[in-house]
Amino acid sequence: MLNVYPVLCRAGSMDNYCYIIQDEATKIAAVVDSSEPAVIIAKCQELGIVPQYILNTHHHFDHTDGNIELKEYFGAKVVGNGNDRERIPGIDIEVYPEGTFALGESVAEIIDVSAHTQGHILWYFSKDKVVFTGDTLFNLSIGGLFEGDAAQMFEALQVIKSLPDDVLFYPGHEYTAHGAGFAQHVARNKEAITAYLTKAATRLNAGLPAGPFTLGEEKACNPYLMAESLAEFSRLF
Ligand code: ZN
Ligand code: FE
């Protein structure tokens, strides 16, 4: 089993989520993305966790600019997509799409979803039913097309859609409020979106992240996942 502890970083500006994760069986831990080292270090101390790895979803600074500091502080190793090694600060261990990475007994499948950036990967812990989607999939929206086009993003989203409905996904930012208006506007299933937004509001009001949502919930409510063809998807921009 994999325990997941979200850490809101750059709160009020970029609202990044980094995640402290720990394999229950072996207690081996990692940080997924590194945004604001002081905040991540404080949360690790509170939890009594010393991460051995920093896992990156993609090269953008708001996901990697804590790599060096966290690596030095914890003696951790930075793990990222070998195909993007030049842009991942402090990379020590290269993983590749279609490969795996073992965090103790929790094993992540590395899945290429290049579009937001070239070399963006998902960390999919299939047995644990958890996927870290970085800046590819957010609650009710998706990441911007910085280095890819709509066709490439559509392909990436089809890969995410192919994962089981009961998988919980953990995005790289708290952008639920930002995606909510458009999702409501284009919703086909009004009951699903109402239930989604009620759940999100309840958690946010309690000072918690809006998520995690399951991919099933997301498939029913996220306009970008609901698009069934590239033509339909392209009309959303
Ligand atoms: Zn990004
Ligand atoms: Fe980002």
Side-chain angles (χ1 to χ4, degrees):
M1 203 184 108
L2 188 71
N3 295 318
V4 181
Y5 307 96
V7 186
L8 183 64
C9 296
R10 293 178 152 98
S13 57
M14 299 183 77
D15 292 323
N16 280 81
Y17 277 127
C18 298
Y19 298 96
I20 298 163
I21 62 175
Q22 187 173 45
D23 173 52
E24 175 88 30
T26 61
K27 305 294 178 201
I28 295 176
V31 175
V32 180
D33 284 346
S34 66
S35 196
E36 201 179 356
V39 177
I40 296 169
I41 289 168
K43 185 69 179 179
C44 285
Q45 286 171 341
E46 182 194 320
L47 294 165
I49 285 176
V50 177
Q52 296 179 17
Y53 303 100
I54 298 148
L55 315 179
N56 288 144
T57 58
H58 67 297
H59 77 89
H60 278 159
F61 76 94
D62 58 314
H63 302 257
T64 59
D65 72 353
N67 278 7
I68 303 289
E69 189 176 334
L70 289 179
K71 162 172 160 157
E72 284 171 3
Y73 188 88
F74 290 114
K77 298 237 183 296
V78 172
V79 191
N81 186 350
N83 293 325
D84 205 14
R85 72 175 82 81
E86 303 300 329
R87 303 194 293 180
I88 308 273
I91 191 167
D92 296 298
I93 299 173
E94 296 175 10
V95 291
Y96 288 89
E98 295 173 34
T100 59
F101 180 80
L103 187 75
E105 293 179 9
S106 299
V107 179
E109 295 172 27
I110 310 302
I111 302 176
D112 183 278
V113 285
S114 292
H116 174 75
T117 64
Q118 297 306 311
H120 192 309
I121 52 176
L122 304 179
W123 291 84
Y124 173 42
F125 292 86
S126 54
K127 198 164 50 80
D128 308 282
K129 304 249 175 218
V130 164
V131 63
F132 297 93
T133 57
D135 284 0
T136 298
L137 183 68
F138 300 131
N139 298 342
L140 303 177
S141 67
I142 56 171
L145 298 172
F146 284 91
E147 299 174 11
D149 58 14
Q152 215 181 7
M153 181 56 94
F154 183 70
E155 281 311 307
L157 296 178
Q158 301 323 295
V159 173
I160 293 176
K161 269 170 93 167
S162 74
L163 304 180
D165 281 355
D166 59 350
V167 170
L168 288 170
F169 86 98
Y170 291 87
H173 291 267
E174 178 51 73
Y175 285 168
T176 316
H178 160 89
F182 185 58
Q184 265 179 309
H185 180 69
V186 300
R188 281 175 220 154
N189 184 339
K190 298 283 180 200
E191 267 173 43
I193 188 76
T194 301
Y196 189 114
L197 292 174
T198 303
K199 198 187 272 191
T202 304
R203 289 175 182 161
L204 288 169
N205 288 337
L208 301 168
F213 287 93
T214 64
L215 288 179
E217 289 171 301
E218 206 59 30
K219 290 173 201 177
C221 296
N222 188 315
Y224 301 91
L225 287 184
M226 282 154 55
E228 274 159 19
S229 66
L230 176 57
E232 196 186 323
F233 180 70
S234 300
R235 285 197 288 275
L236 296 171
F237 291 87

